[in-house]
Amino acid sequence: MFEGPLQDLIDEFSRLPGIGPKSAQRIAFYLLKADPEDIDRLCSALGAVRDGVSFCRICNNVSREEVCRVCADSGRDKTTICVVEDAKDIQVIERTGEYSGRYHVLGGALDPLANVGPKDLAISSLLQRIGGVLPDLDGEKAPEVAEVILATDPDTEGEATSSYLARLLKDFPELVVSRLASGMPLGGDLEFVDELTLSRALSGRLTL
Amino acid sequence: MFEGPLQDLIDEFSRLPGIGPKSAQRIAFYLLKADPEDIDRLCSALGAVRDGVSFCRICNNVSREEVCRVCADSGRDKTTICVVEDAKDIQVIERTGEYSGRYHVLGGALDPLANVGPKDLAISSLLQRIGGVLPDLDGEKAPEVAEVILATDPDTEGEATSSYLARLLKDFPELVVSRLASGMPLGGDLEFVDELTLSRALSGRLTL
């Protein structure tokens, strides 16, 4: 439609999730008139993320330090691990105020169609944590884990991932493995569930 | 909410038009997993736009060459100029197939609250074109302009801009000055008007 660099920019923005050609065009024209410093800031933020965001050594959450704020918080219950697909799901669960344990970020869900298998997710580190192999803060021995809450998305991939993990975790007979209770609409995305529904789902979780 | 570079990126995306915090977060997490080459391509497209997109010498449209494709098209009627706020409005009018003249891109609309005055818009070059001062393709004398269609947005700023231009253009007694006919919902944005409504508005334009 347009010529040269402007069209390139529209094309690039159109590739991002949730941005259609119309929005991409609007953003490109906005940037055309924007302060060059704003564009530089956006570019350097992109560069910083490309060069690597660091992850918590324990739970795989996005973190500036070696250990994320949740894992470093000594006031939290170290015996419970809530397993989520993405770091952004942590924020949603934190907002309910119903959970005071730690997390484990898988980095996605099993999805054979997209070639995402168990090896692409942070499953082995979860087993190491539960097995007490992974050292905790300041080189301390890993805390004993009493319960694992499977809080993957209530969609096909998330359900499959939870079933897979539940099967693996049968190897730890003492461990209580639970799944977020129903209350969440199936086929949805955990990130967009309202706090109240998520609170209900947390307090009514079912032992598998 | 998050830490370090990821939050910076979310903040930067939230500043763009039409992107809320939730969409910004979704895009940032998408880019976290994206191919570094994709991010590089986005960055270089941003850089190219920051370093300057070139504009048509005649009509101020976005253009890779000195003269844009519309002005360079010898099959078009050079005696009619359609004045629009932004280059993206040209695409919408082109899609109606009702117009075969040239364009003039103002680069915005008069908006005293945002400190946009007549000097910030490409008004003097429009007067030069109509006055026959601006050389045409290959240094030819400017074509005589018989009609100017004012196609600014049908909102407060666009209406004000059209009124202002209509007053200025009274200096050219031979010139027919028209405004897009009603049919477009007031308070809207030209870019989002459907083709049929815009066709009606073009064919039913009123002489001022």
Side-chain angles (χ1 to χ4, degrees), chain B residues 41-111:
Chain B
R41 272 212 318 281
L42 176 56
C43 264
S44 67
L46 280 165
V49 166
R50 180 204 51 204
D51 295 342
V53 163
S54 53
F55 298 93
C56 171
R57 181 177 65 73
I58 298 174
C59 75
N60 198 32
N61 184 9
V62 177
S63 170
R64 200 196 301 264
E65 313 290 333
E66 196 197 344
V67 170
C68 77
R69 280 182 292 194
V70 176
C71 289
D73 183 349
S74 60
R76 296 188 75 112
D77 171 16
K78 297 184 180 184
T79 66
T80 311
I81 295 178
C82 179
V83 177
V84 291
E85 291 183 17
D86 281 306
K88 55 181 183 271
D89 298 329
I90 293 181
Q91 311 297 329
V92 192
I93 294 177
E94 285 296 287
R95 276 208 297 272
T96 68
E98 289 264 336
Y99 183 70
S100 62
R102 283 183 170 181
Y103 292 93
H104 191 83
V105 179
L106 292 174
L110 295 176
D111 186 0

Side-chain angles (χ1 to χ4, degrees), chain A residues 1-4 12 17 22 25 30 33 40-41 46 50 64 69 86 88 91 95 191, chain B residues 1-4 12 17 22 25 30-31 33 40-41 46 50 64 69 86 88 91 95 191:
Chain A
M1 290 268 279
F2 296 96
E3 297 175 34
E12 290 302 326
K22 210 79 174 174
Q25 188 178 305
Y30 166 84
K33 291 182 193 171
D40 286 338
R41 271 212 319 281
L46 281 165
R50 181 204 51 206
R64 199 197 299 264
R69 280 184 292 195
D86 279 307
K88 55 180 183 272
Q91 314 295 329
R95 276 208 297 272
E191 171 185 6
Chain B
M1 291 269 277
F2 296 96
E3 298 175 33
E12 289 304 326
K22 210 77 175 175
Q25 187 178 306
Y30 166 84
L31 290 171
K33 292 183 194 171
D40 286 339
R41 272 212 318 281
L46 280 165
R50 180 204 51 204
R64 200 196 301 264
R69 280 182 292 194
D86 281 306
K88 55 181 183 271
Q91 311 297 329
R95 276 208 297 272
E191 143 181 45

Side-chain angles (χ1 to χ4, degrees), chain A:
Chain A
M1 290 268 279
F2 296 96
E3 297 175 34
L6 196 73
Q7 187 59 49
D8 294 342
L9 188 60
I10 294 172
D11 292 342
E12 290 302 326
F13 270 110
S14 303
R15 288 201 187 92
L16 299 179
I19 300 188
K22 210 79 174 174
S23 312
Q25 188 178 305
R26 190 172 166 207
I27 293 169
F29 272 91
Y30 166 84
L31 290 171
L32 195 61
K33 291 182 193 171
D35 192 341
E37 279 178 28
D38 288 346
I39 299 182
D40 286 338
R41 271 212 319 281
L42 176 56
C43 265
S44 67
L46 281 165
V49 165
R50 181 204 51 206
D51 294 342
V53 163
S54 54
F55 297 95
C56 173
R57 179 177 65 75
I58 297 174
C59 74
N60 199 32
N61 184 8
V62 176
S63 170
R64 199 197 299 264
E65 313 291 333
E66 196 197 344
V67 170
C68 77
R69 280 184 292 195
V70 176
C71 289
D73 184 349
S74 59
R76 297 187 75 110
D77 173 14
K78 297 183 180 182
T79 66
T80 311
I81 295 177
C82 179
V83 177
V84 293
E85 291 184 17
D86 279 307
K88 55 180 183 272
D89 298 329
I90 293 183
Q91 314 295 329
V92 192
I93 294 178
E94 284 296 287
R95 276 208 297 272
T96 68
E98 290 264 336
Y99 183 69
S100 63
R102 284 183 170 180
Y103 292 93
H104 192 83
V105 179
L106 292 174
L110 295 177
D111 187 358
L113 293 177
N115 268 326
V116 180
K119 283 187 180 160
D120 302 307
L121 305 179
I123 292 177
S124 61
S125 60
L126 174 65
L127 298 179
Q128 284 181 335
R129 284 178 77 180
I130 298 166
V133 184
L134 206 72
D136 204 59
L137 299 172
D138 310 319
E140 262 179 52
K141 206 182 148 297
E144 204 156 303
V145 178
E147 180 171 2
V148 168
I149 304 172
L150 301 172
T152 52
D153 284 343
D155 56 10
T156 322
E157 293 81 17
E159 291 287 346
T161 310
S162 275
S163 306
Y164 178 82
L165 289 175
R167 219 163 45 235
L168 279 186
L169 296 177
K170 287 229 167 75
D171 290 348
F172 302 91
E174 303 285 292
L175 189 72
V176 177
V177 179
S178 57
R179 173 92 177 103
L180 284 188
S182 71
M184 299 183 291
L186 279 167
D189 191 337
L190 199 142
E191 171 185 6
F192 299 107
V193 173
D194 65 274
E195 278 92 326
L196 192 65
T197 312
L198 199 56
S199 284
R200 292 261 173 85
L202 261 172
S203 58
R205 62 187 183 261
L206 299 167
T207 306
L208 299 184

